[in-house]
Amino acid sequence: MIVLSLKLNNIYGFSNFSIDFSYPKKIVNSLIEDEYLEGRPNFRYKKAIILMGANATGKTSLGKALFNIVNFINCGDPAMLNALALSDSEASFQIDFVNGSFVLHRLSVRLQETENGNKATVSYSFAEILPKDSYEMCSKKLKSFDTEKDAQIYNKIGKINYTFSCPDIKPTAKVLKIKKSLVLEILKAVIGTLDPTLDNISISKDLRNSFIIRRNKEEIIIQDGKLLGRNSLSSGTAEGIDISFFLALLMSERNGFYYCDEHFSYIQSDIEKRIFGLMLEYLGRAGQLIFTTHNTDMLDLNLPKHCFAFLRKRKEDDYNVRITYASDILKRNTDSIRCAVENDVFSSLPDESLLAELEMRCCDEE
């Protein structure tokens, strides 16, 4: 699955929010290869997006919204949308995407709360992607589909391959399908890097779908992709286990949609950049990765500017989440994204005025 755009209204605190994953101009000598639909060189999309922003700006909520929307597309059951936590007002979303063929899909859903859950009004459009089409050209050719034939909509779209790894979402069921030898290799590399004392990792012979980390006389068990006894390891090493399974899924599937949400808060910056580089290296020709982080060292990566996007929450009629793309503001190759962030060009830094008032109060009391 490749997502081209997403619009959210009254969903998880997003009001009239939109995010775009296409880009208009070909990038010369980009370190990310093949950022276009294979066989359709003008149909360009952002293959990797580093999503940054202050706390409570919606990075995790965006992942949850996408997770529930993709689940709904895969099964067509409106009950899957009950988790979107709607307010009393009407809500809606619209998503444009491609899924394994030269067809652009657009699914628009209007949601109304009822006593029995959400009532979903579905509109579906599609357009064939011709050899010279860009996303912008193709989106103008979208044709409506008879939504009374709901079952045919999902047959036309096909099954979507996706992996989300967020604080409240773990790809537990999917990890059971990965080759244990691959998981073991990745666990040894990641966990061994984070904690060199944990070099004795093996596949359990007695427990189903389990790995065992041995340290002296202690045995730490990972079963069905979950760490049992999390207190036995440091926070960074425990996060490394989730990262290992996410990386194993990406390496074994490659051509899916992947959302990795802030798994590196307790991990050294250089290691985060190194593992993100591995994700890019193994991401398939038709894969797409959204990677959220607070780590400003990620800004130093030699990636196209369109890979960086910044969420912010600002007071309008209410507090609304908005997005700024580095490529919309920084036009020259010599422009520094890090300098722009440090000078708050993208309005993505938190408002520290309340802390400043507290400091002034302390000074006055002295």
Side-chain angles (χ1 to χ4, degrees):
M1 179 189 187
I2 298 166
V3 178
L4 279 306
S5 71
L6 175 70
K7 297 180 180 180
L8 302 172
N9 190 35
N10 292 331
I11 290 177
Y12 280 144
F14 292 100
S15 178
N16 296 317
F17 172 83
S18 64
I19 182 169
D20 185 14
F21 298 101
S22 65
Y23 69 98
K25 185 179 179 182
K26 181 179 179 181
I27 306 297
V28 179
N29 297 325
S30 173
L31 289 182
I32 302 180
E33 298 179 350
D34 306 324
E35 280 196 291
Y36 58 86
L37 196 62
E38 188 172 11
R40 302 292 187 268
N42 295 326
F43 200 94
R44 292 180 280 270
Y45 68 94
K46 299 171 185 176
K47 196 169 181 176
I49 302 96
I50 296 176
L51 191 61
M52 306 185 76
N55 291 320
T57 53
K59 298 184 295 298
T60 299
S61 295
L62 179 63
K64 290 180 180 179
L66 272 165
F67 175 77
N68 286 291
I69 289 169
V70 174
N71 267 336
F72 167 69
I73 295 172
N74 261 349
C75 69
D77 182 2
M80 300 301 299
L81 301 175
N82 288 339
L84 289 177
L86 306 178
S87 59
D88 293 335
S89 58
E90 183 180 287
S92 62
F93 68 82
Q94 176 180 293
I95 183 168
D96 288 6
F97 61 97
V98 175
N99 189 41
S101 63
F102 293 136
V103 176
L104 174 65
H105 307 277
R106 172 174 291 174
L107 196 68
S108 303
V109 178
R110 185 163 52 89
L111 301 165
Q112 294 173 301
E113 283 190 315
T114 68
E115 294 180 355
N116 300 319
N118 293 316
K119 176 186 176 183
T121 304
V122 179
S123 299
Y124 170 71
S125 304
F126 67 96
E128 181 184 357
I129 305 170
L130 299 178
K132 294 185 179 181
D133 279 352
S134 64
Y135 165 62
E136 293 76 16
M137 292 169 58
C138 197
S139 62
K140 296 176 182 179
K141 302 187 298 180
L142 287 164
K143 301 176 183 178
S144 297
F145 185 84
D146 186 355
T147 53
E148 293 182 1
K149 303 175 182 177
D150 281 350
Q152 293 185 30
I153 293 177
Y154 307 104
N155 290 335
K156 190 175 185 67
I157 292 172
K159 201 73 172 177
I160 293 173
N161 180 29
Y162 63 94
T163 296
F164 286 77
S165 191
C166 305
D168 298 332
I169 303 170
K170 303 296 180 187
T172 305
K174 296 187 70 177
V175 301
L176 304 181
K177 301 177 182 179
I178 315 173
K179 288 183 179 179
K180 289 187 176 64
S181 57
L182 175 62
V183 177
L184 181 61
E185 181 184 357
I186 295 172
L187 280 170
K188 285 183 174 181
V190 175
I191 303 304
T193 301
L194 295 173
D195 186 348
T197 67
L198 302 176
D199 58 352
N200 190 353
I201 306 173
S202 60
I203 299 170
S204 174
K205 296 178 181 178
D206 303 317
L207 298 175
R208 178 181 55 86
N209 301 321
S210 298
F211 299 85
I212 297 177
I213 303 173
R214 292 181 174 86
R215 179 170 53 191
N216 299 324
K217 296 182 180 180
E218 182 183 15
E219 288 189 349
I220 303 162
I221 298 172
I222 306 166
Q223 187 171 44
D224 296 336
K226 295 180 180 179
L227 173 64
L228 308 183
R230 200 175 183 91
N231 293 333
S232 300
L233 300 176
S234 70
S235 297
T237 307
E239 286 290 344
I241 291 171
D242 289 336
I243 293 165
S244 296
F245 280 99
F246 182 87
L247 185 56
L249 279 165
L250 188 150
M251 289 174 65
S252 60
E253 297 172 342
R254 302 198 178 201
N255 287 319
F257 178 84
Y258 303 93
Y259 200 103
C260 184
D261 182 44
E262 293 188 23
H263 277 308
F264 293 84
S265 300
Y266 302 102
I267 293 176
Q268 187 176 341
S269 173
D270 288 344
I271 295 176
E272 179 177 2
K273 291 194 291 184
R274 188 72 176 266
I275 293 177
F276 175 77
L278 281 171
M279 291 179 182
L280 280 187
E281 184 175 342
Y282 285 102
L283 189 63
R285 180 66 179 78
Q288 190 176 39
L289 169 67
I290 298 179
F291 186 94
T292 78
T293 183
H294 284 289
N295 181 9
T296 54
D297 286 345
M298 296 290 285
L299 300 170
D300 297 329
L301 293 173
N302 189 19
L303 297 173
K305 290 184 173 61
H306 67 239
C307 291
F308 297 91
F310 302 87
L311 291 174
R312 67 189 190 280
K313 187 176 284 186
R314 288 292 180 264
K315 181 75 173 177
E316 295 171 0
D317 293 333
D318 198 356
Y319 279 99
N320 293 318
V321 179
R322 296 292 180 257
I323 190 163
T324 303
Y325 310 98
S327 55
D328 286 349
I329 296 176
L330 306 179
K331 303 295 186 180
R332 296 175 299 183
N333 292 334
T334 54
D335 289 337
S336 166
I337 299 178
R338 177 185 276 276
C339 288
V341 169
E342 291 174 349
N343 289 282
D344 205 18
V345 171
F346 309 119
S347 302
S348 59
L349 298 182
D351 182 357
E352 300 180 10
S353 59
L354 295 176
L355 293 176
E357 291 175 10
L358 190 60
E359 288 175 347
M360 290 297 295
R361 178 180 175 180
C362 293
C363 292
D364 292 340
E365 289 178 356
E366 291 177 358

